Amino acid sequence: AAIHGVARGAETILASAELLARERQTVESLSGGEAQRLILAAATIHDPALVFLDEPTANLDPENRRTLGARIKALGARATVVVSTHDLREAGEVCDEIVFLVGGAVKAHGPREALIASVPAAARRGDGLEDAFFHFCASRLSPAGTLE
């Protein structure tokens, strides 16, 4: 916060992370969910236009995943948020746009519903986004960006 000239930065970060009551505790003594809320609040204290999050809910219990996911979704209303995750359910719940990367190559991208809708009915087996992922990973993109 000090780097970005944010007044009362520590208090603002703790309030944003809903940790004011734990202000005297070390980060190591916080639960995983509390620590992730604190990290997200600290990383966005200066209202960045672009935020990159790498596996932000990894190793969190379901309740903390849901809570942090809601915070990330809310952050997306005021900033562009890029989330790297292996959890397709989380991606579908938190992200407006999805990019499938395999071996460093983009296999498909677009809104969740558009990706799911592009899967042939015969290839659908369950979770729509997971079906889309496997469908596109089995396909190749031509240089023009169309499926082969």
Side-chain angles (χ1 to χ4, degrees):
I3 291 170
H4 297 286
V6 177
R8 299 175 38 168
E11 183 180 336
T12 303
I13 290 168
L14 289 169
S16 177
E18 297 179 14
L19 292 169
L20 279 170
R22 307 204 53 197
E23 69 179 321
R24 296 281 178 223
Q25 293 200 247
T26 64
V27 174
E28 296 80 19
S29 69
L30 299 175
S31 73
E34 291 169 334
Q36 285 299 85
R37 290 196 323 259
L38 183 65
I39 291 165
L40 185 62
T44 59
I45 187 68
H46 62 295
D47 291 321
L50 178 62
V51 178
F52 287 90
L53 301 173
D54 184 22
E55 301 280 354
T57 63
N59 303 314
L60 295 182
D61 62 75
E63 180 60 23
N64 279 308
R65 279 178 175 265
R66 187 193 60 74
T67 300
L68 194 64
R71 287 173 179 269
I72 293 167
K73 184 89 171 155
L75 176 61
R78 63 182 200 270
T80 299
V81 181
V82 178
V83 178
S84 168
T85 183
H86 291 89
D87 186 334
L88 293 172
R89 188 169 53 124
E90 174 183 59
E93 292 171 1
V94 173
C95 303
D96 297 324
E97 297 275 331
I98 307 288
V99 177
F100 294 141
L101 292 174
V102 178
V106 174
K107 291 295 186 171
H109 62 88
R112 176 187 187 277
E113 298 308 322
L115 292 172
I116 292 170
S118 64
V119 177
R124 296 181 187 176
R125 293 189 174 84
D127 180 331
L129 196 56
E130 187 173 285
D131 287 343
F133 177 76
F134 288 114
H135 169 70
F136 285 108
C137 288
S139 304
R140 289 185 25 233
L141 288 179
S142 72
T146 58
L147 287 177
E148 294 181 341

